[in-house]
C-alpha cells in the first residue's frame, strides 16, 4: 500500500512540475513573440531610406489577427516609425520590452500591459524613450495579437509619436 501511495504521489508531483514548466515556457514564448513584433514595427536602420510601410505591414502580419491588421492599416500605425525617423534624422531600434500579464480570460485570451524602450540614435548621440501600451493575445491555435492600444504621447525632440 505504501508503494502504491508513493507511486501515485510521485506521479502527481511529476505532472505538477511539468505543468508549471510549460506555463513558464509559454510566458517566455509570449515575451519573445511580442518583442519580435515590436522589432519589426519599430526598426529603422537608415532614416534617409526608411522601410516602406507595406513591407512593415507584411512583416507584422504573422503577429496580428486580420481584424487588428486592418485596424492598424486604417489608423496608419505602421507609418509612425518611418516618418519619425525621417523627420528626426535618427535611426530607431527597440531596446527592450517589459511585459506584465494583467489577466487571463475564459475565452483563451490574455491581456498584457507593456512598456517599450526605444532607442533613437545617430552618429552623434542616442536617446532612449519609453512607450506604453496594452494588448490582448489569443493563444487558441497559435499566438496572435487581437487587440492593441499604444499611447501616442511619447516625444522625441519636437515630434510626438
Amino acid at each position: 500500500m505504501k508503494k502504491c501511495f508513493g507511486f501515485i504521489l510521485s506521479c502527481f508531483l511529476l505532472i505538477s512540475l511539468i505543468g508549471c514548466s510549460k506555463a513558464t515556457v509559454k510566458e517566455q514564448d509570449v515575451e519573445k513573440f511580442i518583442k519580435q513584433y515590436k522589432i519589426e514595427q519599430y526598426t529603422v536602420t537608415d532614416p534617409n531610406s526608411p522601410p516602406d510601410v507595406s513591407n512593415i505591414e507584411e512583416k507584422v502580419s504573422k503577429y496580428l489577427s486580420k481584424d487588428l491588421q486592418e485596424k492598424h492599416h486604417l489608423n496608419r500605425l505602421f507609418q509612425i516609425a518611418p516618418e519619425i525617423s525621417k523627420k528626426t534624422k535618427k535611426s530607431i531600434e527597440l531596446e527592450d520590452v517589459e511585459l506584465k500579464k494583467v489577466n487571463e480570460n475564459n475565452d483563451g485570451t490574455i491581456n498584457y500591459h507593456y512598456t517599450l524602450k526605444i532607442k533613437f540614435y545617430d552618429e552623434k548621440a542616442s536617446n532612449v524613450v519609453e512607450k506604453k501600451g496594452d494588448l490582448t493575445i489569443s493563444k487558441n491555435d497559435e499566438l496572435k495579437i487581437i487587440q492593441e492600444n499604444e499611447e501616442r504621447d511619447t516625444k522625441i525632440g519636437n515630434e510626438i509619436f
Side-chain angles (χ1 to χ4, degrees):
M1 183 69 178
K2 286 183 180 182
K3 286 184 181 181
C4 183
F5 180 75
F7 176 75
I8 291 172
L9 183 61
S10 297
C11 288
F12 177 76
L13 289 173
L14 182 63
I15 290 170
S16 297
L17 287 173
I18 290 171
C20 290
S21 68
K22 284 184 179 179
T24 302
V25 170
K26 287 186 179 184
E27 281 304 307
Q28 290 171 345
D29 289 344
V30 169
E31 191 171 315
K32 182 180 175 183
F33 178 80
I34 293 171
K35 190 169 189 171
Q36 280 304 123
Y37 162 60
K38 291 301 181 180
I39 286 170
E40 298 290 356
Q41 180 181 351
Y42 280 107
T43 300
V44 179
T45 54
D46 183 2
N48 295 318
S49 181
D52 185 68
V53 174
S54 61
N55 289 340
I56 296 172
E57 286 181 348
E58 183 179 323
K59 287 179 181 179
V60 300
S61 66
K62 63 185 170 190
Y63 303 99
L64 306 174
S65 69
K66 293 288 183 200
D67 289 342
L68 186 59
Q69 187 176 354
E70 186 175 314
K71 178 182 172 186
H72 282 348
H73 173 79
L74 293 172
N75 290 330
R76 299 178 177 163
L77 183 75
F78 302 118
Q79 291 178 350
I80 294 170
E83 286 178 3
I84 291 293
S85 177
K86 201 169 195 170
K87 286 179 181 178
T88 61
K89 296 181 171 74
K90 296 199 180 276
S91 298
I92 304 173
E93 74 179 40
L94 181 73
E95 276 203 343
D96 194 24
V97 176
E98 295 173 6
L99 192 64
K100 181 182 175 192
K101 184 194 274 188
V102 176
N103 64 326
E104 200 160 334
N105 304 307
N106 293 334
D107 62 355
T109 61
I110 306 171
N111 299 330
Y112 290 93
H113 177 74
Y114 63 82
T115 302
L116 307 176
K117 292 188 179 174
I118 303 171
K119 181 172 137 181
F120 289 80
Y121 64 96
D122 59 18
E123 304 83 37
K124 300 173 190 169
S126 69
N127 188 17
V128 176
V129 297
E130 287 189 354
K131 194 162 182 67
K132 296 179 185 248
D134 296 292
L135 56 77
T136 302
I137 290 188
S138 172
K139 60 177 185 160
N140 291 335
D141 294 329
E142 60 181 339
L143 295 177
K144 287 283 185 186
I145 300 168
I146 60 170
Q147 178 276 340
E148 179 180 24
N149 293 309
E150 198 167 271
E151 293 178 359
R152 299 268 179 98
D153 59 356
T154 307
K155 286 185 89 173
I156 183 72
N158 295 328
E159 301 296 328
I160 296 175
F161 76 104

